Amino acid sequence: MTVTPPQNVPQEVKIQLLLTGGHQYTIYLKSDAPLLQLLAKTLLFKHQKTENSSLFQIPLAEGHSALCFPSEHLVGMVTEPPIYLQHLQPQDSKSNIKTYTPPTSTTDNLESRYLVIENLFTNLETQQLLNYIWQRKSDFVPTTTSTKAENYRRSLVLHSFPKFRELIVKRIKEIFPDVLNKLSIPAFSIAEIESQLTAHNDNNFYKIHNDNGSPDTATRVLTYVYYFYREPKAFTGGDLIIYDSQIQGKHYVKAETFKTIEPTNNSIVFFLSRYMHEVLPVACPSQAFADSRFTINGWIRRNN
């Protein structure tokens, strides 16, 4: 299913949501927003009676409030300018959202859950991002850890990238309700979405850690990692390992079992910041900066 705007459509679309009971709400989205695609998909499959119920939680007022309603309560949309929906063809039926939901466990392990969304950016946006960071190579600095441990993390980081930071924060806010829904996380108010841009080249890695284990990071709820790189892919390795958990006393600790996520170009993964995880070593024979495993990674914080 695709959402097709008419020619010369403005980037911003006014959307009047029509809900059961005669309720109406107005939101504004970009014509290529994933949330608009999701709303349209809900209407399409509602007609075909093949879509399971889900909960929409649409952030309003820059995340300070939210509009929540079950998907089956959406009965229509009025868009200005007009947006036209095209039905799914058989070859388009594969979703770009992949959720890992653990099976019922017979051990004491608490199995990790994660969500992968493919094709987060357009091809043009991804190429613009690559061009941008290649030009900023000299601004990358070596990464560090809060504990200052030696030989624990090896990569380069760029902390300031305003245009693309704004882009990924905007995109995350658009899909945030669906992320919470897919991971069965109770809704929370976003205080901040942090981000940094990293480059992993030959023999770069990040050993086992979590992202909210200190007072300064305690409000981090979700970690995200957006992968992008030049094609054809010039490196191997760099898999993300997310460990299952066990409870010891009042603390979550790493179990011996884990999930492996291979870097996929133009995809983003979400998981709970409390999970122990690591980045396996990267092998990049050319050692050229442009051939690196690049990510925009960060954390979604809740209000205290």
Side-chain angles (χ1 to χ4, degrees):
M1 184 271 299
T2 58
V3 177
T4 306
Q7 291 183 348
N8 303 318
V9 64
Q11 286 189 322
E12 190 170 64
V13 179
K14 178 181 178 182
I15 303 166
Q16 188 176 24
L17 301 175
L18 308 179
L19 307 181
T20 56
H23 300 289
Q24 300 181 10
Y25 297 92
T26 300
I27 61 174
Y28 294 84
L29 296 172
K30 291 293 181 64
S31 58
D32 61 349
L35 178 56
L36 177 54
Q37 302 280 340
L38 184 60
L39 289 165
K41 177 184 173 184
T42 298
L43 287 175
L44 176 61
F45 283 97
K46 181 182 181 73
H47 173 71
Q48 296 181 354
K49 301 185 183 300
T50 58
E51 180 75 343
N52 294 326
S53 175
S54 61
L55 179 67
F56 278 102
Q57 300 175 83
I58 301 175
L60 304 174
E62 297 183 349
H64 295 292
S65 60
L67 170 63
C68 303
F69 58 91
S71 59
E72 64 267 23
H73 286 194
L74 181 64
V75 297
M77 294 191 305
V78 179
T79 62
E80 182 183 337
I83 297 292
Y84 304 104
L85 309 184
Q86 297 177 1
H87 285 292
L88 277 173
Q89 301 299 322
Q91 64 269 25
D92 296 329
S93 60
K94 183 179 179 181
S95 172
N96 69 335
I97 300 178
K98 302 176 181 177
T99 310
Y100 174 79
T101 303
T104 302
S105 177
T106 58
T107 71
D108 294 331
N109 285 358
L110 302 175
E111 294 201 59
S112 300
R113 301 184 65 181
Y114 62 86
L115 173 69
V116 177
I117 300 177
E118 298 177 345
N119 302 314
L120 184 71
F121 292 162
T122 65
N123 292 336
L124 177 59
E125 289 168 339
T126 304
Q127 189 57 54
Q128 289 174 337
L129 176 56
L130 283 168
N131 293 339
Y132 174 81
I133 62 170
W134 292 338
Q135 295 169 4
R136 297 285 305 277
K137 174 183 176 181
S138 61
D139 296 324
F140 280 75
V141 297
T143 52
T144 59
T145 64
S146 58
T147 62
K148 308 300 182 184
E150 293 185 6
N151 202 34
Y152 205 86
R153 182 183 188 187
R154 188 177 299 162
S155 55
L156 297 175
V157 62
L158 179 68
H159 292 291
S160 178
F161 48 103
K163 175 182 176 181
F164 292 100
R165 181 192 181 281
E166 180 180 341
L167 177 63
I168 196 163
V169 167
K170 173 181 175 295
R171 205 58 53 87
I172 288 174
K173 286 182 177 179
E174 291 170 349
I175 62 178
F176 181 66
D178 199 43
V179 172
L180 294 182
N181 183 43
K182 292 290 194 303
L183 292 177
S184 300
I185 297 173
F188 64 90
S189 177
I190 297 176
E192 181 185 4
I193 298 179
E194 302 173 281
S195 61
Q196 61 183 14
L197 203 157
T198 58
H200 284 77
N201 203 269
D202 194 50
N203 200 29
N204 285 185
F205 55 85
Y206 196 171
K207 295 182 180 179
I208 301 172
H209 64 286
N210 68 12
D211 293 334
N212 66 355
S214 68
D216 290 341
T217 61
T219 59
R220 290 174 177 172
V221 178
L222 279 171
T223 294
Y224 68 89
V225 185
Y226 169 71
Y227 298 103
F228 65 104
Y229 47 80
R230 180 163 68 176
E231 292 187 329
K233 183 179 174 184
F235 66 88
T236 57
D239 291 352
L240 172 65
I241 304 297
I242 302 178
Y243 288 89
D244 298 328
S245 302
Q246 292 179 334
I247 297 178
Q248 290 185 359
K250 297 182 179 180
H251 302 283
Y252 290 98
V253 298
K254 178 182 75 68
E256 295 303 314
T257 53
F258 55 84
K259 314 297 182 293
T260 302
I261 303 170
E262 182 180 351
T264 300
N265 201 11
N266 195 20
S267 71
I268 187 169
V269 57
F270 293 89
F271 57 93
L272 288 175
S273 297
R274 68 169 175 81
Y275 289 163
M276 300 298 291
H277 56 283
E278 67 176 313
V279 177
L280 296 184
V282 171
C284 184
S286 74
Q287 299 187 5
F289 177 77
D291 288 338
S292 299
R293 167 197 183 271
F294 295 108
T295 65
I296 300 178
N297 57 286
W299 311 273
I300 305 176
R301 289 183 180 259
R302 59 171 170 79
N303 285 314
N304 288 323

